[in-house]
Amino acid sequence: MKFATKTIHAGIEPDPSTGAIMTPIFQTSTYAQEGSGNHKGFEYARTQNPTRSALEKNLAALENGTDAICFGSGLAAMDAVMKLLKPNDEIISTNDLYGGSYRQMVRVYEPFGLKPKFVDMSDPKSVEKIITKNTKLLWIETPTNPMLNIVDIEKICKIAKKHNILTCVDNTFASPYLQNPLDLGADIVLHSATKYIGGHSDVVHGCLIVKDAELAAKLHFIQNACGAVPGPMDCFLILRGIKTLHIRVQRACENAAIVAKFLKKHPKVSSVNYPGFKSHPGHKIAKAQMRDFGAMVSFDLKSDSFENAQKVLSNTHLFTCAESLGGVESLIGHPASMTHASIPKEERMKVGLTDSLIRLSIGIEDVDDLIEDLEKALEQI
Ligand code: P1T
């Protein structure tokens, strides 16, 4: 089945009891048993829920995996991956990543004995240099949030295999429509489905997708034992969002390419981070491992002050100033004070995450209106 067909049909059957074409929202916490242990495959809704099962089948198909495991948020999905590790295990992660992922590794799991190290993963040699016998997980985010750096998934996964290390790729910025890390050798794919997969800014949700039965069993065990499961209504909304994933991401990518070009030429803009530019250091790798270059763009101002960034943020009307990304509506954000505020300033500055960096999540509105909105806001500085 091709991708566009999978979004609509994979894992989805009309409801056998009524013929309902949409997967019903099974809003129940438990299931009747004819006697102890004599049931229809469903015992208790933390363990199994038919709406969640349909979504998990669909997500597994979108990422060419065998199993998907859903959670109440992207960070809850990450938390399950961390629980595969034990004290003194080392994690090597991209040094430019979502602030909340950094915070979970450093502020939650370091006190439990995990040892995260952050490097520029766009340089595979620098990853291999710091691998030790205790390295148990490589945490890849690509494109990175918010600098839009590109990591060569295939190369990093080859290094990991050589050293018998697990790999997890946070595929949130690309979406399964643009990039499928399991095909490139990754062991686990993570999505904050809150973003492109849901696509309508109305649900917080996360998932992991794998293709190894043993790993799937471990993660299903953690999902059930620790309990960070999503509710059936949220699973239904994500399933509904997925049906238009390919169309939404296509349009958002087209818009992003036009917005990025506009910003690059703008006299008040000093730099634009967008992997679709030939001059982007990861352009060739992005072209090889992604279907398009994504719909996230970040840029810096020539007058590099926090105040000027704030002026731009408070003067757009179509771009709403908000955290999150990947919805049909365009958003504008200030990573230093919003999504990446939990990363110490000296760490942020090392990767170019300055106080004047602005991040855009390009939606699917008419691109002429988006450009006019940015033009007017940039006039204010
Ligand atoms: O918000 P949640 O569903 O828990 O997902 C966390 C997460 C994980 N990975 C990446 C790459 C992310 O961008 C996020 C969430 N990011 C934002 C809310 C943001 O505005 O960047």
Side-chain angles (χ1 to χ4, degrees), residues 166-178:
L166 201 65
T167 45
C168 179
V169 177
D170 184 334
N171 204 23
T172 301
F173 262 38
S175 90
Y177 176 63
L178 296 183

Side-chain angles (χ1 to χ4, degrees), residues 27-338:
Q27 194 72 46
T28 185
S29 61
T30 193
Y31 308 87
Q33 306 191 18
E34 303 239 327
S36 163
N38 184 5
H39 53 73
K40 297 183 164 73
F42 295 92
E43 294 153 281
Y44 183 61
R46 174 169 23 79
T47 317
Q48 314 102 342
N49 177 282
T51 319
R52 190 172 92 213
S53 302
L55 173 60
E56 289 178 338
K57 281 188 194 137
N58 186 271
L59 287 166
L62 296 188
E63 282 288 10
N64 301 327
T66 54
D67 281 77
I69 303 103
C70 287
F71 296 88
S73 69
L75 286 183
M78 175 181 180
D79 182 66
V81 178
M82 295 295 128
K83 285 171 177 154
L84 294 169
L85 304 177
K86 56 183 193 325
N88 292 321
D89 284 353
E90 289 171 8
I91 306 164
I92 299 176
S93 164
T94 23
N95 61 357
D96 166 32
L97 79 167
Y98 172 52
S101 308
Y102 173 91
R103 182 178 57 199
Q104 186 176 121
M105 285 186 213
V106 171
R107 306 244 331 251
V108 179
Y109 279 104
E110 226 169 24
F112 278 101
L114 300 191
K115 306 231 158 84
K117 297 178 188 171
F118 300 92
V119 285
D120 175 7
M121 274 197 171
S122 59
D123 173 18
K125 280 197 201 102
S126 67
V127 174
E128 195 149 27
K129 231 187 257 167
I130 60 166
I131 288 176
T132 73
K133 63 176 182 5
N134 291 331
T135 309
K136 293 291 159 20
L137 175 67
L138 300 191
W139 187 269
I140 303 164
E141 191 181 291
T142 183
T144 59
N145 181 1
M147 300 307 294
L148 285 314
N149 288 313
I150 299 293
V151 177
D152 188 329
I153 298 174
E154 200 165 17
K155 253 195 197 151
I156 297 286
C157 291
K158 266 198 191 131
I159 294 172
K161 291 259 145 41
K162 200 166 87 187
H163 296 272
N164 203 20
I165 301 169
L166 201 65
T167 45
C168 179
V169 177
D170 184 334
N171 204 23
T172 301
F173 262 38
S175 90
Y177 176 63
L178 296 183
Q179 181 170 275
N180 299 120
L182 296 181
D183 295 348
L184 300 168
D187 297 308
I188 307 173
V189 175
L190 176 144
H191 283 281
S192 165
T194 315
K195 314 293 161 30
Y196 290 101
I197 291 182
H200 294 76
S201 306
D202 50 10
V203 202
V204 173
H205 190 104
C207 60
L208 301 173
I209 301 119
V210 297
K211 59 177 182 183
D212 174 81
E214 199 182 320
L215 191 52
K218 281 185 190 165
L219 291 167
H220 275 297
F221 172 81
I222 292 168
Q223 181 201 42
N224 185 48
C226 299
V229 293
M233 178 72 191
D234 287 357
C235 292
F236 172 86
L237 286 171
I238 297 286
L239 268 174
R240 187 165 78 156
I242 286 174
K243 290 179 198 294
T244 53
L245 174 65
H246 49 305
I247 308 285
R248 288 186 282 104
V249 175
Q250 263 168 27
R251 172 57 68 85
C253 287
E254 283 165 24
N255 283 355
I258 298 168
V259 169
K261 270 189 211 136
F262 158 78
L263 289 170
K264 201 175 186 188
K265 282 200 217 121
H266 200 283
K268 290 181 182 167
V269 170
S270 60
S271 60
V272 181
N273 305 309
Y274 171 64
F277 289 144
K278 284 206 176 90
S279 55
H280 186 290
H283 177 74
K284 275 199 187 134
I285 298 161
K287 205 168 174 190
Q289 72 187 14
M290 298 172 74
R291 274 206 189 94
D292 202 334
F293 300 104
M296 296 299 294
V297 176
S298 58
F299 65 100
D300 217 323
L301 299 172
K302 277 201 181 128
S303 53
D304 56 348
S305 75
F306 176 72
E307 291 70 29
N308 279 332
Q310 290 298 346
K311 255 189 207 159
V312 176
L313 258 72
S314 52
N315 280 290
T316 53
H317 299 288
L318 288 176
F319 280 89
T320 306
C321 176
E323 306 218 2
S324 203
L325 58 118
V328 290
E329 63 288 293
S330 294
L331 300 180
I332 187 165
H334 183 249
S337 65
M338 295 167 73

